[in-house]
Amino acid sequence: MIQLLDYEIDKLIEEDLPFLDLTSGLLDIHQQPGRITIFTREKGIACGTEEAVRMFNKFQIEVEHVIPSGSEIHSGDALIIGRGGVQSLHAVWKAAQNILDYCSGIATKTHRLTLAARRNNPHLMLLSTRKTFPGTRKLALKAIVAGGGLPHRLNLSETVRVFRNHLNLIGGVDEFIRRFPQISKTACEKKILVETSDMNEAKKLAAAGIHGIQFDKVTFEHLKDHLSEIRKINPRITILVAGGIYEQNICSYSHPDIDGIVTSSLYHGKPLDLGADIRLLETNNNLKTQGEYE
């Protein structure tokens, strides 16, 4: 599971609490014992609870109940329950809930699209792009993994992906094929994938022994007639599809010859509808169970 560093947790808290909680101060809310429950109003996949626990710990809030990231949740379920001073509960409440809202939304959408993508191919993987909102990549990728997907490419240092812009600069696909054996030897532990939308290029690359092809913005109707031929040329090749693949058309790409679907749409998962309940302990002695929150 992807982990945030301590300074990253502190930064998330600081965004919402740079100086003081002005409202709690004006209302003269003292540090009395209280309990916070963050719960869901809809079905989904929980994510971000580990970060919420670490936030609670920084304010000496005792965690009484928590659901691990990746767990299925239903309306009324409590994701996390904590006990501590009510000033502290209000100080960390929204920062923790924001993580849970957005991460659970992305995890839920990833889970839903993964089920759709695997309708005809149970081994097909849903892969996320690098098109994250700046500064949010770790949390977004954690949510993708919690929902059953994987990152396509974490960063520029990790993998070899040859795009059209690269080919334009080195003289085209034929020049790349000429240089491929040496590139492959140099990056001996890396898979090398090339992006194309041209079927003739794809067949040339397959014949050259390329490790993988990523088809960009190619409709399945156009692609389906060439998949079996590419597989015959190079049975071990990895075939990915990307560009313009959303919830509305993802099922059409569920084909045994496709290994992975690369999409940015996962990052646009609607935040899960969560709520928070904060009360003094003496008025909330009977802890509610899962399913009792509305």
Side-chain angles (χ1 to χ4, degrees):
M1 189 67 74
I2 294 171
Q3 297 285 337
L4 269 69
L5 301 175
D6 274 346
Y7 85 89
E8 293 172 307
I9 296 290
D10 290 339
K11 192 69 177 175
L12 291 169
I13 294 171
E14 187 188 19
E15 283 184 353
D16 204 44
L17 188 69
F19 302 110
L20 77 164
D21 179 356
L22 182 59
T23 304
S24 293
L26 288 172
L27 294 176
D28 200 24
I29 293 176
H30 300 292
Q31 192 73 303
Q32 304 171 69
R35 176 177 285 124
I36 183 172
T37 302
I38 299 179
F39 59 94
T40 180
R41 298 186 180 96
E42 59 181 321
K43 180 180 178 181
I45 302 296
C47 185
T49 49
E50 294 80 12
E51 286 70 31
V53 167
R54 291 172 65 187
M55 287 181 168
F56 281 13
N57 289 341
K58 288 179 179 290
F59 287 83
Q60 290 76 52
I61 298 168
E62 178 187 351
V63 176
E64 299 180 327
H65 166 81
V66 64
I67 291 178
S69 290
S71 303
E72 187 172 321
I73 50 177
H74 301 269
S75 178
D77 286 353
L79 279 71
I80 186 168
I81 300 173
R83 182 172 64 183
V86 290
Q87 281 185 356
S88 296
L89 298 180
H90 280 88
V92 76
W93 153 39
K94 185 54 69 174
Q97 187 177 331
N98 280 345
I99 290 175
L100 295 169
D101 283 344
Y102 284 92
C103 287
S104 297
I106 292 172
T108 298
K109 183 167 186 177
T110 301
H111 178 70
R112 187 170 65 247
L113 266 65
T114 296
L115 292 178
R118 290 178 175 174
R119 185 168 298 173
N120 299 315
N121 180 0
H123 304 293
L124 193 152
M125 285 303 301
L126 204 59
L127 307 169
S128 62
T129 69
R130 286 161 39 232
K131 295 180 183 179
T132 52
F133 190 86
T136 66
R137 184 168 296 179
K138 274 191 177 180
L139 284 172
L141 293 180
K142 176 172 181 173
I144 298 293
V145 174
L150 281 175
H152 167 52
R153 190 185 190 195
L154 290 169
N155 53 63
L156 288 172
S157 305
E158 181 203 22
T159 57
V160 183
R161 293 291 186 275
V162 181
F163 293 100
R164 179 60 55 188
N165 289 331
H166 295 112
L167 296 176
N168 290 342
L169 295 174
I170 65 169
V173 70
D174 291 332
E175 175 60 17
F176 171 76
I177 289 172
R178 186 187 71 78
R179 294 166 60 175
F180 172 68
Q182 185 57 53
I183 294 171
S184 184
K185 285 180 181 179
T186 303
C188 59
E189 59 177 343
K190 302 292 185 182
K191 272 192 171 185
I192 299 171
L193 277 77
V194 178
E195 180 186 87
T196 186
S197 56
D198 184 289
M199 294 303 146
N200 290 326
E201 281 188 353
K203 290 166 189 176
K204 282 184 180 181
L205 289 163
I210 195 74
H211 303 135
I213 295 173
Q214 179 172 311
F215 289 101
D216 182 52
K217 293 181 173 62
V218 179
T219 65
F220 182 73
E221 287 301 310
H222 180 56
L223 183 62
K224 66 180 181 179
D225 295 330
H226 303 274
L227 285 173
S228 60
E229 185 178 352
I230 293 169
R231 284 280 181 210
K232 286 178 183 176
I233 295 170
N234 185 348
R236 300 176 63 183
I237 198 168
T238 296
I239 296 178
L240 306 177
V241 292
I245 301 175
Y246 307 98
E247 197 160 358
Q248 294 80 1
N249 65 356
I250 196 167
C251 289
S252 64
Y253 290 90
S254 179
H255 187 277
D257 281 326
I258 294 176
D259 297 297
I261 293 174
V262 183
T263 178
S264 303
S265 68
L266 305 176
Y267 299 126
H268 307 298
K270 180 179 71 68
L272 215 62
D273 185 9
L274 304 183
D277 179 75
I278 300 176
R279 304 188 189 191
L280 292 173
L281 275 178
E282 54 262 38
T283 62
N284 191 24
N285 287 326
N286 295 320
L287 186 64
K288 293 182 180 182
T289 59
Q290 286 187 352
E292 291 189 285
Y293 292 93
E294 298 177 357

